[in-house]
Amino acid sequence: MPGNKAVVYEGPGKVEVHETGYPEFELKDGPGVNPANVGRKLPHAAILKTVATNICGSDQHMVRGRTTAPPGLVLGHEITGEVVETGRDVEFVKTGDLVSVPFNISCGRCRNCKERNTHICENVNPDRPGSAYGYVDMGGWTGGQADYALVPYADWNLLTFPDKDQAMEKILDLAMLTDIFPTGFHGCVSAGVGPGSTVYIAGAGPVGLAAAASAFLLGAAVVIVGDLNKERLAQARSFGCETVDVSRGEPRDQIEELLGVPEVDCAVDAVGFEARGHGRESGEEHPATVLNTLMDVTRAGGALGIPGLYVTGDPGAHDDAAKHGSLSIRIGLGWAKAHSFVTGQCPVMRYNRQLMTAILHDRVQIAKAVNATPIPLDEAPRGYHEFDEGAARKYVLDPHGLIPKAA
């Protein structure tokens, strides 16, 4: 049996790569594992040799100490890999298949899964609907920033690439199917982006950039991306976006300079609860800023897609209300403008097959849009640090050195 190494959260600001156990077809006790899940048998699971596993902004929330994640938690919910072993109940997925893993863990059997709401599966997290690998309060399923990872309900969850050689040629693009590409796309679909739309996307991190690429794929006429980080704004401009530097002031004024009117048709929040203020307040945290801005700049009757992460517990928040996820949102403004809101995790399986086809047929270059950058697994601490410092990159961990070979 091969050994296994994984990226482990050791406390605020600290991640390390440790030797860990090879996956088994049973959930073991450990940091973050829900007691009700301990001992759960997984004959329906598959073990993957990880080909690519990405660092996500959602991981950074934990690493910054902004959640209740326990030290010792194995990180990583964006997994692409090769099947090396299957449980006795796996019928269709085969050893040797190259697959993408939706970050949502779902059973395929409950009411929500059958209604395509795989982001709120009722059977994988004893505490509440919805689960993910390597994430706080998500049931305790082991993270995938590792040499090897285990995926439950493999026949249901895994998306198999039809041509392995073709997939390896586009592996950096396909690695984005686990989370950020469908998440950005979901934000745009939720906001009603379509042909000729004008769109404002708050946040030029990887999800915001993926949302911008998705907006173009959906036919948007103008895509405006707002952020404080000049390097990330430059990355947005590299594939045709207009940009707003929110450190200069309110986006509304800069949007008017670009469009001639201060409002857009649709808006997407790709920032979440660690949002900062605008203008003079750009150095301060104001967690409701993005939500309130989106209501301000979206036309009456428009919609807001909100894939940006919001939490029920934020020990690092600056006020007691925000520590429990209560924010000062101008809901009266949204009500007066008859806005529609869609929040929550993206149901990845609703989109990943279609987006895979778009990648394989060269309709989108998502890795280029988000500046996907492969690094070895052992360099994960550097990747986390540079990403936290604002690098305009999507770091892709390459545990077995397979990505350079493909390139």
Side-chain angles (χ1 to χ4, degrees), residues 65-359:
R66 297 300 296 269
T67 72
T68 56
L73 184 73
V74 175
L75 299 170
H77 56 270
E78 301 188 17
I79 311 162
T80 306
E82 179 185 5
V83 177
V84 294
E85 191 175 350
T86 58
R88 70 172 188 268
D89 293 346
V90 177
E91 185 176 1
F92 303 110
V93 170
K94 304 299 182 187
T95 298
D97 285 349
L98 188 62
V99 296
S100 178
V101 184
F103 80 90
N104 325 107
I105 303 172
S106 58
C107 71
R109 296 155 167 81
C110 70
R111 174 179 175 175
N112 284 338
C113 284
K114 289 179 179 180
E115 292 178 352
R116 301 181 75 204
N117 291 318
T118 55
H119 56 311
I120 43 175
C121 174
E122 298 172 335
N123 290 330
V124 287
N125 182 357
D127 282 340
R128 63 178 66 89
S131 189
Y133 305 89
Y135 212 83
V136 61
D137 296 332
M138 287 290 186
W141 299 85
T142 303
Q145 289 176 8
D147 290 325
Y148 296 90
L150 181 132
V151 177
Y153 304 103
D155 281 330
W156 166 255
N157 280 306
L158 294 177
L159 173 67
T160 302
F161 300 136
D163 184 313
K164 196 170 181 179
D165 292 335
Q166 181 192 25
M168 285 305 297
E169 291 175 1
K170 296 179 179 292
I171 195 64
L172 277 180
D173 293 280
L174 295 170
M176 303 303 125
L177 290 173
T178 62
D179 182 354
I180 67 164
F181 192 13
T183 292
F185 193 83
H186 177 62
C188 289
V189 169
S190 301
V193 177
S197 296
T198 57
V199 187
Y200 176 66
I201 296 169
V207 170
L209 296 171
S214 298
F216 284 125
L217 190 61
L218 288 164
V222 183
V223 179
I224 304 170
V225 179
D227 205 297
L228 299 161
N229 184 312
K230 291 179 171 52
E231 185 180 358
R232 290 180 173 180
L233 290 174
Q235 179 64 26
R237 288 192 295 273
S238 74
F239 60 97
C241 300
E242 302 289 349
T243 57
V244 162
D245 182 348
V246 299
S247 68
R248 289 177 46 203
E250 292 301 324
R252 183 181 185 88
D253 299 330
Q254 297 175 62
I255 288 171
E256 186 169 19
E257 292 175 8
L258 292 167
L259 298 178
V261 292
E263 292 182 326
V264 292
D265 298 322
C266 323
V268 177
D269 174 1
V271 177
F273 73 103
E274 287 193 69
R276 297 189 175 274
H278 299 153
R280 294 179 181 178
E281 296 182 338
S282 60
E284 305 169 8
E285 205 168 281
H286 292 275
T289 296
V290 170
L291 293 172
N292 289 331
T293 295
L294 263 55
M295 287 186 278
D296 183 42
V297 304
T298 303
R299 68 174 182 84
L304 281 60
I306 309 174
L309 177 66
Y310 290 87
V311 294
T312 56
D314 175 11
H318 291 273
D319 63 72
D320 289 337
K323 287 180 180 179
H324 302 285
S326 296
L327 308 180
S328 298
I329 298 171
R330 296 183 64 194
I331 192 66
L333 175 61
W335 187 92
K337 297 177 78 172
H339 285 154
S340 301
F341 301 78
V342 176
T343 66
Q345 294 181 22
C346 163
V348 170
M349 292 175 69
R350 195 178 296 176
Y351 307 106
N352 62 350
R353 183 173 298 277
Q354 299 95 313
L355 296 178
M356 173 189 73
T357 304
I359 289 169

Side-chain angles (χ1 to χ4, degrees), residues 24 26-30 33 37-40 140 142:
E24 299 180 39
E26 180 182 331
L27 263 179
K28 304 292 188 180
D29 197 8
V33 179
N37 263 347
V38 175
R40 188 168 178 169
T142 303

